Amino acid sequence: MTARYLEAAVTTTSLVAVYGTLKKGLNNAHWLSTATRLGGDTCTALTLYDIGPYPGAKWQTSRGISLEIYRVTASQLARLDELEDHRHGAPEQGEYQRQLLTTRFGKAWVYIYNPSVDGCIMIAEGGWPSQ
């Protein structure tokens, strides 16, 4: 059975905005292979940072970051939370926090990177890997 907080999250919105390795054609895209891809969007409320094998997003104004928007189920969201180390009971302790973002498809969950990005390469336009 799926946890109640996941059911509540999907009731809030069943959309997820992705900006990194979960995007089509990248190494973690298989995590969303059964989700419905709605399309792309550009977001100026986020800036990406290259933190090595994947990016992290911070709430910082950018010139436009490329996103893909998917419709997910509660069980799919649970798997994404696990991949992103989102900790429902203590979100500030995980690697990412799942937060709401406005997209052209409506509100979507997005994973915001918790650790410091000092010394990381900023990506303020386009996507990851740098395009």
Side-chain angles (χ1 to χ4, degrees):
M1 182 170 135
T2 304
R4 289 181 197 245
Y5 81 91
L6 290 163
E7 295 292 344
V10 170
T11 299
T12 300
T13 181
S14 62
L15 304 184
V16 173
V18 300
Y19 52 80
T21 63
L22 289 163
K23 290 173 78 174
K24 186 177 178 180
L26 297 180
N27 65 315
N28 280 325
H30 64 277
W31 289 77
L32 290 168
S33 64
T34 59
T36 302
R37 185 179 187 276
L38 300 180
D41 199 2
T42 302
C43 176
T44 58
L46 297 175
T47 293
L48 298 184
Y49 288 86
D50 187 335
I51 54 176
Y54 48 86
K58 293 286 192 178
W59 291 116
Q60 297 171 346
T61 303
S62 69
R63 292 184 300 277
I65 299 302
S66 300
L67 305 173
E68 290 179 2
I69 314 302
Y70 291 84
R71 184 173 314 283
V72 297
T73 64
S75 62
Q76 289 167 326
L77 189 62
R79 288 192 300 274
L80 293 176
D81 280 359
E82 182 180 337
L83 173 68
E84 304 291 7
D85 188 32
H86 168 70
R87 301 177 189 183
H88 171 67
E92 66 287 343
Q93 293 177 13
E95 188 169 19
Y96 289 85
Q97 289 188 41
R98 179 169 34 84
Q99 299 180 357
L100 288 172
L101 169 74
T102 300
T103 74
R104 70 183 184 104
F105 298 98
K107 296 278 185 190
W109 295 111
V110 65
Y111 290 90
I112 303 299
Y113 190 63
N114 272 333
S116 170
V117 291
D118 289 347
C120 296
I121 297 170
M122 177 190 290
I123 304 168
E125 186 172 17
W128 186 94
S130 296
Q131 300 165 336

